[in-house]
Amino acid sequence: MRQKGILIVISGFSGAGKGTLVKEIMRRHGEYSLSVSMTTRPPRAGEREGVEYFFTDRAHFEETIAADGLVEYAQYCGNYYGTPKAYVEEQLKAGKNVILEIEIQGALKIKEKFPESLLIFVTPPSVEELKRRLEGRGTESAEVIAKRLNRAAEESEGMEAYDYIVINDSLEEGAEEIHRLVDASRAAPVRKQDFIREIREELYHFAKGVQD
């Protein structure tokens, strides 16, 4: 029987390099599928509909919430972000490891609904490096960068809720570290519930036969 895929949540500070890491993982390994989030924020230069995000307006997003069409959703810097449900369920059943690149609010909601999910938090090696990366985008004002750094301070309060912390100092090493963590996590009891039930039933059946 095909093993169900793992639901992987990757979060991190804005500017930590989450998106670049995810693209590198997808390039190196074929067993991953990236869940494209829906958002009400406008696209940045170079972003494509249905690739980086599904871009929509608040009215449509709220209709999707009402129809229970999202695995999770949250508001960040005045915009909605959410994960469409149907695609995620389909890919997991097909044995793909589904990556959700979402903010901390959404990640914690995922963990509540799906205890078997794997939560990974990505951070640069220092705050100075985080600031440098934000400035290096060249797409945001000093005011927006300041807001993102303030938000990062708030998000740091939730880092302990994650299963692993990955320091993104090298793209190649960071991508391989995440892949190793995903592989190792397959053996965690929370992801072996079917096997545990089967072997437990067999053991009790065997023990009963011995006693009889």
Side-chain angles (χ1 to χ4, degrees):
M1 191 173 89
R2 177 183 287 155
Q3 185 175 359
K4 186 179 178 183
I6 295 176
L7 184 60
I8 306 154
V9 177
I10 296 183
S11 306
F13 308 127
S14 178
K18 305 180 295 295
T20 307
L21 268 179
V22 169
K23 286 176 184 174
E24 184 67 10
I25 293 166
M26 299 287 292
R27 186 184 72 80
R28 287 168 174 253
H29 304 284
E31 64 267 41
Y32 293 88
S33 177
L34 178 62
S35 176
V36 180
S37 295
M38 182 187 295
T39 183
T40 58
R41 80 155 169 79
R44 295 190 185 119
E47 289 184 331
R48 296 152 294 172
E49 170 69 16
V51 179
E52 282 76 21
Y53 287 97
F54 295 113
F55 297 98
T56 189
D57 56 30
R58 292 185 72 86
H60 179 258
F61 197 103
E62 289 170 354
E63 286 171 8
T64 308
I65 294 171
D68 193 30
L70 299 171
V71 174
E72 58 75 35
Y73 68 93
Q75 289 199 64
Y76 176 73
C77 290
N79 289 299
Y80 276 123
Y81 294 80
T83 304
K85 183 187 288 185
Y87 178 82
V88 170
E89 292 176 343
E90 176 186 298
Q91 293 297 305
L92 288 173
K93 285 178 184 175
K96 290 280 191 177
N97 297 321
V98 179
I99 298 176
L100 309 183
E101 186 191 331
I102 56 179
E103 306 300 333
I104 191 167
Q105 290 172 284
L108 298 181
K109 288 179 184 176
I110 289 285
K111 196 66 170 179
E112 285 178 16
K113 287 171 132 180
F114 305 96
E116 74 281 5
S117 60
L118 178 66
L119 269 58
I120 298 174
F121 195 92
V122 174
T123 175
S126 68
V127 175
E128 189 59 38
E129 175 62 14
L130 178 62
K131 184 171 180 288
R132 187 190 70 76
R133 291 180 189 179
L134 286 169
E135 291 171 343
R137 284 177 174 175
T139 59
E140 294 161 341
S141 66
E143 182 182 359
V144 170
I145 289 173
K147 283 182 181 178
R148 293 198 182 280
L149 289 171
N150 286 335
R151 174 66 174 168
E154 295 171 6
E155 288 176 330
S156 70
E157 296 292 335
M159 291 171 74
E160 288 88 351
Y162 284 73
D163 296 302
Y164 297 103
I165 304 292
V166 171
I167 298 173
N168 183 22
D169 198 14
S170 159
L171 176 61
E172 293 78 12
E173 291 176 9
E176 284 309 303
E177 183 177 356
I178 290 173
H179 179 62
R180 286 194 298 270
L181 292 173
V182 172
D183 261 1
S185 73
R186 288 188 177 279
V190 72
R191 297 178 191 93
K192 291 287 187 181
Q193 290 301 305
D194 289 342
F195 174 78
I196 291 170
R197 278 192 295 271
E198 287 172 11
I199 200 164
R200 184 178 286 148
E201 287 172 7
E202 289 177 14
L203 285 167
Y204 276 117
H205 179 74
F206 178 79
K208 187 176 183 299
V210 170
Q211 290 170 1
D212 292 344

